[in-house]
Amino acid sequence: MSRSYHITTYGCQMNEHDTERIAGLLEADGLVAAADEESADVVVLNTCCIRENADNKLYAKLGDLKVRKTENPGVQIAVAGCLAQKDRDTIRDRAGHVDVVFGTHNVHRAAELLGESRTNGPIVEVLEAAARDDAEAFPSALPPRSDAGYAAWLTIQVGCDNSCAYCIVPAVRGPELSRPLDDLVLDVAQMAGEGVTEVTLLGQNVNSYGRDLTLARRRQGEDVRVRPLFADLLRQVGGVEGIKRVRYVSPHPKDFRPETIAAMAETPAVCEHLHLPVQSGSDRVLAAMHRGYTAERYLEKLAAARSEIDDLAVTTDIIVGFPGETDDDFAATLELAAVAEFDAAFTYIYSERPGTEAAELTDLIEHAVSVERFEKLRAVLARSGARKHAERVGRIEEVVVEGVSKRNAERLTGRTRQNKVVHFDRVSSARVPSLRVGSYASIRVTESKGHYLMGEVVEVLAMPKHKVRIPVVAV
Ligand code: 5AD
Ligand code: SF4
């Protein structure tokens, strides 16, 4: 019988994407997905070090797995992701039963490393960013195993050249490195040929996409102007036949340019959704974070985007409790949140990441104060979120079907271009074909709930090609 694997993903979309790549490699190597972690022969933990006390969680988890490994030595345990990249040796020291530790630049070796460790014992393989070459840094040549075959992620850039005081990403993921534009467009064309209709472009700082490529050409003596390539990329990916939706995360407000706004407005496939992380509404805190913009500048950029792009949904990231954040600073964040009218936001309590500049700061905010601020902020954000949802009732929206609703098997779940989740009853009749994962439909929004919308099918717009593997919804 085939060996089975289970991967637990922590953290961001970058990690989810890496998880798909690891799954693709393991499946290509003959493994099958296990129903759950308890029954898996290979357990992979794809870790994140951006926030939280991820380290403690990981070691607690590894403690549980030690029991399993003692009972069944055939079980293999692998730790991947940012935390593996950062703490490779600590992991082996503290959890000697881990078979493989591999870093974010070694994902392409996942299956081989697991194979090698079965004969040779434990392996730690973590490439430093400086040692990467393109083939190692980028997933293009790897088989991504997308859970929903109509949608794909595409890494356009790895690493980050910024130095936000709180953030560990530049230290862990290294400097920015972009994939050539033509390669990306070719990848998208190939994916579109296989039935992909939605692409999400991934990078830590997508607006500076291509800067490294241009600078490298200059160093070779070419006379090229450094100009923003991200807008070109959006236009070209959006122009690939068969691509109906293009999304991207995340732009940095400091580098968010009119060219990008124009490309979004003028490329029909690019979704009317902008995730623009603001982090704080206080200029003092923004400066301490080294974000490179003021609250006013942020709001100006937002206004420009909203005026050019019809029906734009805006989401953001906000951190509360950054060292030294005063009541006044926090009041400025609340004010910005109220004025900006976000559709939704990811909110975080500042967590100290050793090795970052902010970790040296001593003016720490008491946890209880941070929690109180966090809750106040959530309340303000919930109000604008609810208003934005309510505005959509009565509208007809284009929705792509993502699957069966978790709570009610009679319902399907889909997503609008503005990235809002909609639940609606399944329909199937002689007139309306059965919807499947990846189908596009017009949905009339009938009701707005806190985090999602309810709707009803008006008409089916397109059925998926489904040449790629997908979990088909039996309707
Ligand atoms: N503490 C809290 N939140 C953080 N983020 C990044 N680093 C930290 C940290 N040390 C948040 C930022 C970023 C998002 C991906 O995670 O808001 O935009
Ligand atoms: Fe971290 Fe700032 Fe780079 Fe984003 S832009 S990855 S927050 S350093």
Side-chain angles (χ1 to χ4, degrees):
M1 213 178 82
S2 303
R3 280 160 55 80
S4 64
Y5 72 90
H6 185 272
I7 309 177
T8 303
T9 315
Y10 304 89
C12 65
Q13 280 181 316
M14 213 52 113
N15 263 19
E16 284 179 38
H17 180 35
D18 279 349
T19 290
E20 291 194 350
R21 293 165 58 199
I22 297 168
L25 288 161
L26 298 187
E27 293 197 1
D29 201 39
L31 276 80
V32 294
D36 49 35
E37 190 181 284
E38 285 68 42
S39 59
D41 300 304
V42 173
V43 176
V44 183
L45 307 176
N46 193 8
T47 62
C48 168
C49 62
I50 292 205
R51 283 178 304 272
E52 298 174 346
N53 213 338
D55 326 29
N56 289 346
K57 274 199 202 157
L58 174 70
Y59 293 116
K61 178 92 182 167
L62 287 174
D64 294 346
L65 285 170
K66 186 170 184 175
V67 180
R68 261 201 68 205
K69 179 107 181 161
T70 317
E71 284 163 4
N72 182 354
V75 170
Q76 280 189 296
I77 302 167
V79 182
C82 302
L83 204 58
Q85 181 82 23
K86 191 164 78 71
D87 289 351
R88 64 197 90 160
D89 298 326
T90 325
I91 293 172
R92 284 286 310 151
D93 289 348
R94 288 186 58 177
H97 55 291
V98 170
D99 297 276
V100 179
V101 177
F102 60 97
T104 54
H105 309 300
N106 308 78
V107 165
H108 62 295
R109 294 250 301 139
E112 283 145 58
L113 292 173
L114 280 160
E116 284 168 25
S117 89
R118 286 182 83 182
T119 35
N120 303 338
I123 303 181
V124 176
E125 190 174 285
V126 176
L127 269 183
E128 286 305 338
R132 300 175 294 185
D133 66 25
D134 275 10
E136 284 161 345
F138 294 112
S140 56
L142 301 174
R145 195 199 62 94
S146 169
D147 267 350
Y150 73 90
W153 282 319
L154 189 62
T155 304
I156 63 167
Q157 167 201 58
V158 293
C160 179
D161 284 348
N162 289 318
S163 46
C164 301
Y166 52 82
C167 185
I168 191 75
V169 167
V172 175
R173 300 240 170 189
E176 279 170 23
L177 202 62
S178 308
R179 273 191 70 205
L181 197 146
D182 293 349
D183 291 5
L184 292 169
V185 176
L186 275 177
D187 270 8
V188 173
Q190 189 189 338
M191 292 191 290
E194 289 167 356
V196 166
T197 56
E198 174 171 328
V199 181
T200 303
L201 308 177
L202 293 178
Q204 302 292 353
N205 186 16
V206 292
N207 280 104
S208 58
Y209 164 75
R211 191 166 49 189
D212 54 314
L213 299 175
T214 317
L215 291 175
R217 284 173 59 193
R218 274 216 192 158
R219 276 196 299 276
Q220 303 282 325
E222 264 183 78
D223 181 22
V224 278
R225 197 161 61 89
V226 180
R227 59 182 204 89
L229 287 174
F230 184 63
D232 294 358
L233 181 68
L234 276 183
R235 287 180 196 273
Q236 291 198 29
V237 169
V240 170
E241 201 189 322
I243 295 298
K244 294 179 193 292
R245 291 182 172 192
V246 180
R247 301 186 185 281
Y248 67 94
V249 278
S250 291
H252 191 303
K254 148 174 89 66
D255 302 318
F256 187 61
R257 305 176 61 98
E259 290 89 338
T260 305
I261 297 179
M264 289 179 78
E266 291 161 20
T267 314
V270 178
C271 286
E272 295 75 22
H273 173 214
L274 174 65
H275 181 71
L276 197 62
V278 67
Q279 312 298 4
S280 171
S282 152
D283 292 346
R284 226 180 51 82
V285 173
L286 287 169
M289 287 175 164
H290 307 314
R291 291 290 290 175
Y293 54 85
T294 59
E296 192 185 348
R297 192 82 193 96
Y298 177 89
L299 289 171
E300 279 167 15
K301 295 210 180 194
L302 205 55
R306 281 181 165 142
S307 77
E308 299 287 317
I309 305 161
D310 242 11
D311 200 13
L312 181 71
V314 180
T315 55
T316 197
D317 292 344
I318 303 179
I319 300 175
V320 299
F322 186 77
E325 184 187 71
T326 62
D327 284 343
D328 283 352
D329 292 325
F330 177 63
T333 297
L334 281 184
E335 195 187 319
L336 181 133
V339 173
E341 287 263 309
F342 295 114
D343 288 75
F346 296 98
T347 40
Y348 307 102
I349 292 180
Y350 167 74
S351 74
E352 188 179 305
R353 304 279 72 209
T356 59
E357 187 186 312
E360 308 296 318
L361 301 174
T362 49
D363 204 358
L364 301 184
I365 306 301
E366 221 179 293
H367 187 64
V369 173
S370 291
V371 171
E372 201 182 303
R373 289 180 182 169
F374 181 83
E375 274 156 15
K376 275 193 194 148
L377 177 63
R378 301 265 343 135
V380 170
L381 291 164
R383 279 201 288 278
S384 67
R387 256 197 313 276
K388 292 280 174 183
H389 269 64
E391 277 172 13
R392 309 211 76 87
V393 174
R395 294 200 198 191
I396 307 246
E397 305 256 350
E398 179 203 273
V399 164
V400 62
V401 178
E402 288 192 336
V404 181
S405 157
K406 287 200 186 85
R407 294 224 193 105
N408 180 344
E410 292 308 305
R411 287 208 178 117
L412 298 179
T413 296
R415 213 169 270 267
T416 69
R417 292 179 60 85
Q418 280 77 14
N419 212 29
K420 298 194 184 297
V421 173
V422 189
H423 297 292
F424 49 95
D425 284 341
R426 295 174 160 190
V427 280
S428 106
S429 66
R431 200 171 53 82
V432 184
S434 304
L435 292 168
R436 288 187 287 159
V437 169
S439 298
Y440 285 77
S442 288
I443 304 278
R444 178 178 297 107
V445 179
T446 53
E447 209 182 332
S448 113
K449 305 273 192 183
H451 296 288
Y452 60 91
L453 302 169
M454 298 296 298
E456 57 196 22
V457 178
V458 176
E459 79 179 301
V460 175
L461 299 173
M463 296 300 278
K465 241 188 187 176
H466 286 349
K467 275 199 206 149
V468 279
R469 262 173 299 171
I470 53 138
V472 177
V473 181
V475 183

